[in-house]
Amino acid sequence: MIIDAHAHVVMTDECYRIMATLTGGRNNPPTGGKLPPDDVVRRTAEGLIKQMDEVGTDVQFISPRPYMQMHSLAPANVSLAWARYVNNLIHKQVEMFPDRLKGVAGLPQFRDTSPVNCLEELDRCVNELGFVGCILDPDPTEGDGAPPPGLGDKFWYPLYEKLCELDVPALVHSAGCCHPRESYTLKFVNEASIACISLTSSKVFEDFPTLKIIISHGGGAIPYQIGRFRAGASRRGKSFDESLRKLYFDTCLYSQEGLELLFDVVGPDNCLFGTERPGTGSAFCKEWGHDFDVLKPVIEKIEWLSAEDRAKIFEGNARKLFTRAFK
Amino acid sequence: MIIDAHAHVVMTDECYRIMATLTGGRNNPPTGGKLPPDDVVRRTAEGLIKQMDEVGTDVQFISPRPYMQMHSLAPANVSLAWARYVNNLIHKQVEMFPDRLKGVAGLPQFRDTSPVNCLEELDRCVNELGFVGCILDPDPTEGDGAPPPGLGDKFWYPLYEKLCELDVPALVHSAGCCHPRESYTLKFVNEASIACISLTSSKVFEDFPTLKIIISHGGGAIPYQIGRFRAGASRRGKSFDESLRKLYFDTCLYSQEGLELLFDVVGPDNCLFGTERPGTGSAFCKEWGHDFDVLKPVIEKIEWLSAEDRAKIFEGNARKLFTRAFK
């Protein structure tokens, strides 16, 4: 089975109209938000599943489109209303195709507000809507102002407690970006790096031994820059590699060189197949003869991976982490 | 010949006393700053050269220790006084060992002030002190407040004009970092990534065809994350690889996996040997049996590099870029 653990919901014009209304009117006064009609939702989900079939993906774990989460847009009410709306949309698609799609929740994070405000929605998504995980934005200010403390800080502990209680993993993934010199796609990469280092230099996994954290986009820069952090850890008599392997990583890197380095450095036990398709990588790669985000054949042609390694990357590790997905 | 194009000056207690006085008193009123006595400077430089001899480095290009540049410490006078002081110290060491050391200037950058304030010191260093290049901090706010525009912006054009006029390269390297969740060493990496993307998506090299820019630390995340940017460029009918090869990269990555990816992705024509030794990588690597920043043997054991490739990385590319170094 091929499980794509990093994918996002496809929305329709009806959804964008709700989003635009929230953006403009700032949900102030609060406005309702009706989901698109069933037939429109079904058609959209069928379109996604057709794309999955074309590339041999059996199941996608779909979460909100990260750069559209509006985590920094005041008031907090916007983020909350939109997170609930998109989670409900995901739920509707998953209900229609329960064997092909699983829900990963967006959280109503807001700027530097404590993540305590996210617990109720996370609980609702997991316990009422059957979601199997959530995404976690390490900088809900979206670069507009001083960010909250790093993910290694106790600031995040109420959320970690809840994740452990519910036994669901979090996929670390930033949202938009307000810095003119840092596009949202570049911020994804930098925030993944910051998250890796904040977590590996913290006591989080001592305090929460069952916590499951996946860093998006192959860990940002860290597997490539590992020597720098190995040297730092070695100076303190520690092993950076050991700390890094408390984390999991997805394969949303769109080059064979990058994927090989990831598998080599963090090991196949810690990697989950993920493509974000359709998304950033949905553009034709001449060299490959298919889109950049068609990663299954790219991983299959890495000869030094064993059949067992590949099975872990494509399926086993996702099953191990997302315990609620297939029960 | 082995040229280490990314190295930093070694300072003494006398220098730290000046730095501490500037930090505390904010150079307000302005205080003088005497260089250490000749015999102390000579002993320090000899210590550095001993380290170079131990690892087979013939020449180091030494610049100010980046995280000690104090680019965000008000008033601007601090950055200016300190840049001049350290440049003078570098000059003194280089004068003592002109065949082993070459000077790379620090600039008196200050927060989001136009780099026009740096032109005089850059000119002094190159024309009066015989320096061969400079370092360039893309975020002199050091993470404290909104950064200036990215390096692709016209904000930086006065500096680029001067660099072209003087025919010296700039090594992009950030300074300290005020964000609790982003150490200076991690900021080095993220700023290298931001610089790569800002420059590759700009018209800078059309407007300054002779400009020579080296991105520190193997380009941050970008060679590893290249697929993401290849996909984006391909969507616009462009080649990201082509844009990336307008830039140069140093080898301050302390893992063989990282180095191989760098050489593979950007090619040996665009890589300059650099170690920062003594610095971040000066810690013992058990696997290698020597420090992480002893990179010559690591590069020599990469079999798929030809002798010609290695010669370019170790010497040829540095000679090509730093035209003032060996005339």
Side-chain angles (χ1 to χ4, degrees):
Chain A
M1 183 186 273
I2 306 292
I3 302 172
D4 185 343
H6 181 167
H8 304 297
V9 68
V10 178
M11 296 193 296
T12 67
D13 282 349
E14 288 88 342
C15 308
Y16 291 119
R17 174 192 287 256
I18 304 289
M19 183 175 164
T21 307
L22 277 172
T23 314
R26 302 294 181 109
N27 202 25
N28 192 10
T31 52
K34 263 182 41 184
L35 290 180
D38 281 8
D39 61 319
V40 174
V41 173
R42 179 174 297 274
R43 231 175 14 248
T44 314
E46 280 169 352
L48 178 60
I49 288 166
K50 185 161 170 278
Q51 286 205 49
M52 291 161 55
D53 288 340
E54 280 164 8
V55 300
T57 296
D58 296 295
V59 182
Q60 269 198 352
F61 294 171
I62 53 171
S63 54
R65 191 73 43 190
Y67 81 96
M68 288 188 160
Q69 290 179 105
M70 305 192 289
H71 281 165
S72 71
L73 212 71
N77 218 355
V78 174
S79 171
L80 176 60
W82 182 239
R84 287 182 64 97
Y85 179 87
V86 180
N87 288 334
N88 289 341
L89 174 70
I90 290 171
H91 176 237
K92 201 162 178 172
Q93 294 191 355
V94 170
E95 264 198 317
M96 288 172 176
F97 300 95
D99 297 333
R100 308 300 305 276
L101 304 173
K102 306 284 172 186
V104 170
L107 301 177
Q109 298 183 248
F110 180 64
R111 295 188 166 260
D112 56 358
T113 302
S114 159
V116 166
N117 79 329
C118 299
L119 305 185
E120 191 181 328
E121 178 63 3
L122 178 58
D123 193 277
R124 181 183 82 96
C125 287
V126 174
N127 283 323
E128 292 176 33
L129 310 185
F131 280 40
V132 302
C134 72
I135 54 175
L136 170 58
D137 176 4
D139 180 16
T141 71
E142 301 185 292
D144 178 28
L151 292 184
D153 193 274
K154 292 199 168 164
F155 176 84
W156 301 97
Y157 276 23
L159 181 62
Y160 298 159
E161 210 168 294
K162 189 75 182 173
L163 290 167
C164 291
E165 177 202 316
L166 296 171
D167 190 28
V168 293
L171 176 71
V172 174
H173 201 307
S174 63
C177 188
C178 304
H179 278 177
R181 60 187 205 133
E182 197 179 11
S183 64
Y184 69 78
T185 197
L186 181 53
K187 189 172 172 77
F188 293 169
V189 171
N190 290 340
E191 288 295 330
S193 302
I194 293 171
C196 274
I197 298 305
S198 185
L199 285 164
T200 52
S201 54
S202 78
K203 290 181 62 193
V204 164
F205 293 101
E206 285 169 51
D207 294 339
F208 299 95
T210 61
L211 183 67
K212 298 172 286 190
I213 301 276
I214 305 155
I215 311 287
S216 299
H217 315 115
I222 305 308
Y224 174 57
Q225 293 280 347
I226 195 163
R228 167 166 296 269
F229 300 98
R230 278 179 182 155
S234 137
R235 209 173 278 126
R236 297 186 303 275
K238 306 251 178 175
S239 157
F240 182 73
D241 291 69
E242 213 173 273
S243 314
L244 200 63
R245 285 169 198 219
K246 308 266 187 206
L247 299 169
Y248 294 84
F249 301 88
D250 69 33
T251 65
C252 290
L253 292 162
Y254 306 110
S255 77
Q256 185 173 334
E257 303 92 319
L259 287 166
E260 293 210 37
L261 184 136
L262 175 70
F263 299 145
D264 188 12
V265 166
V266 313
D269 284 342
N270 290 60
C271 298
L272 282 75
F273 183 66
T275 72
E276 282 186 306
R277 179 172 174 88
T280 300
S282 305
F284 189 73
C285 173
K286 274 188 207 152
E287 193 194 329
W288 289 346
H290 54 69
D291 279 6
F292 283 96
D293 58 8
V294 180
L295 293 176
K296 182 169 164 277
V298 181
I299 294 172
E300 280 168 342
K301 78 181 165 215
I302 300 176
E303 283 171 9
W304 57 269
L305 287 175
S306 68
E308 197 193 339
D309 291 339
R310 276 194 209 103
K312 284 178 186 167
I313 294 166
F314 285 134
E315 177 180 0
N317 297 333
R319 280 185 182 270
K320 192 178 86 179
L321 262 65
F322 292 86
T323 49
R324 287 175 174 264
F326 301 99
K327 62 181 180 188
Chain B
M1 182 186 277
I2 306 292
I3 302 171
D4 185 344
H6 181 167
H8 305 297
V9 69
V10 178
M11 297 194 293
T12 68
D13 282 350
E14 289 88 342
C15 308
Y16 291 119
R17 174 192 288 257
I18 304 289
M19 183 174 165
T21 307
L22 277 174
T23 315
R26 303 294 181 108
N27 202 27
N28 190 13
T31 52
K34 263 182 41 183
L35 290 181
D38 281 7
D39 61 320
V40 174
V41 174
R42 180 175 295 275
R43 233 177 11 250
T44 314
E46 280 169 353
L48 177 61
I49 288 166
K50 188 162 169 277
Q51 286 204 49
M52 290 161 54
D53 288 340
E54 281 164 7
V55 301
T57 296
D58 296 295
V59 182
Q60 269 197 354
F61 294 171
I62 54 171
S63 54
R65 190 76 39 191
Y67 80 96
M68 289 188 160
Q69 289 180 105
M70 305 192 289
H71 282 164
S72 70
L73 213 71
N77 218 354
V78 174
S79 171
L80 177 61
W82 182 238
R84 287 181 66 97
Y85 179 87
V86 181
N87 288 333
N88 288 341
L89 175 70
I90 290 171
H91 176 237
K92 201 162 178 172
Q93 295 190 356
V94 171
E95 264 197 318
M96 288 171 176
F97 300 94
D99 296 334
R100 308 299 305 276
L101 304 173
K102 306 285 172 187
V104 170
L107 301 178
Q109 297 182 249
F110 180 64
R111 294 189 166 258
D112 56 358
T113 302
S114 160
V116 166
N117 79 329
C118 299
L119 305 185
E120 190 181 328
E121 178 62 3
L122 178 58
D123 193 277
R124 181 183 81 96
C125 287
V126 174
N127 283 323
E128 292 177 33
L129 310 185
F131 280 38
V132 301
C134 72
I135 54 175
L136 170 57
D137 177 4
D139 180 16
T141 71
E142 301 185 291
D144 179 28
L151 293 183
D153 193 274
K154 291 197 169 164
F155 176 84
W156 302 97
Y157 276 23
L159 181 62
Y160 297 158
E161 210 168 295
K162 188 76 181 173
L163 290 167
C164 291
E165 176 202 317
L166 295 170
D167 190 28
V168 293
L171 176 71
V172 173
H173 200 308
S174 63
C177 188
C178 305
H179 279 176
R181 62 188 202 133
E182 197 178 11
S183 65
Y184 68 78
T185 197
L186 180 54
K187 190 173 172 75
F188 294 168
V189 171
N190 290 339
E191 287 295 331
S193 302
I194 293 171
C196 274
I197 299 304
S198 185
L199 285 164
T200 52
S201 53
S202 78
K203 289 181 60 192
V204 164
F205 293 100
E206 283 168 54
D207 293 339
F208 298 96
T210 61
L211 183 66
K212 298 172 284 191
I213 301 275
I214 305 155
I215 310 287
S216 299
H217 314 115
I222 304 308
Y224 174 57
Q225 294 280 347
I226 195 164
R228 167 168 296 269
F229 301 99
R230 278 178 181 155
S234 137
R235 209 173 279 125
R236 297 186 301 276
K238 306 252 177 176
S239 156
F240 183 73
D241 291 69
E242 213 172 275
S243 314
L244 200 64
R245 284 167 199 221
K246 307 267 187 204
L247 299 169
Y248 294 85
F249 301 88
D250 69 32
T251 65
C252 289
L253 292 163
Y254 305 111
S255 77
Q256 185 173 334
E257 303 92 319
L259 287 165
E260 293 208 37
L261 184 136
L262 175 70
F263 299 145
D264 188 13
V265 166
V266 312
D269 284 342
N270 289 60
C271 298
L272 282 74
F273 183 67
T275 72
E276 280 187 307
R277 178 171 173 89
T280 300
S282 303
F284 189 72
C285 173
K286 273 188 209 155
E287 193 194 327
W288 289 345
H290 55 69
D291 280 5
F292 283 96
D293 57 10
V294 180
L295 293 177
K296 182 169 164 277
V298 181
I299 294 172
E300 280 169 342
K301 77 181 165 214
I302 300 176
E303 284 170 9
W304 59 269
L305 287 175
S306 69
E308 197 193 341
D309 291 338
R310 276 193 208 102
K312 284 178 187 166
I313 294 166
F314 285 134
E315 178 181 358
N317 296 333
R319 280 185 183 271
K320 192 178 85 178
L321 262 64
F322 292 86
T323 48
R324 287 174 176 264
F326 302 99
K327 62 179 179 187

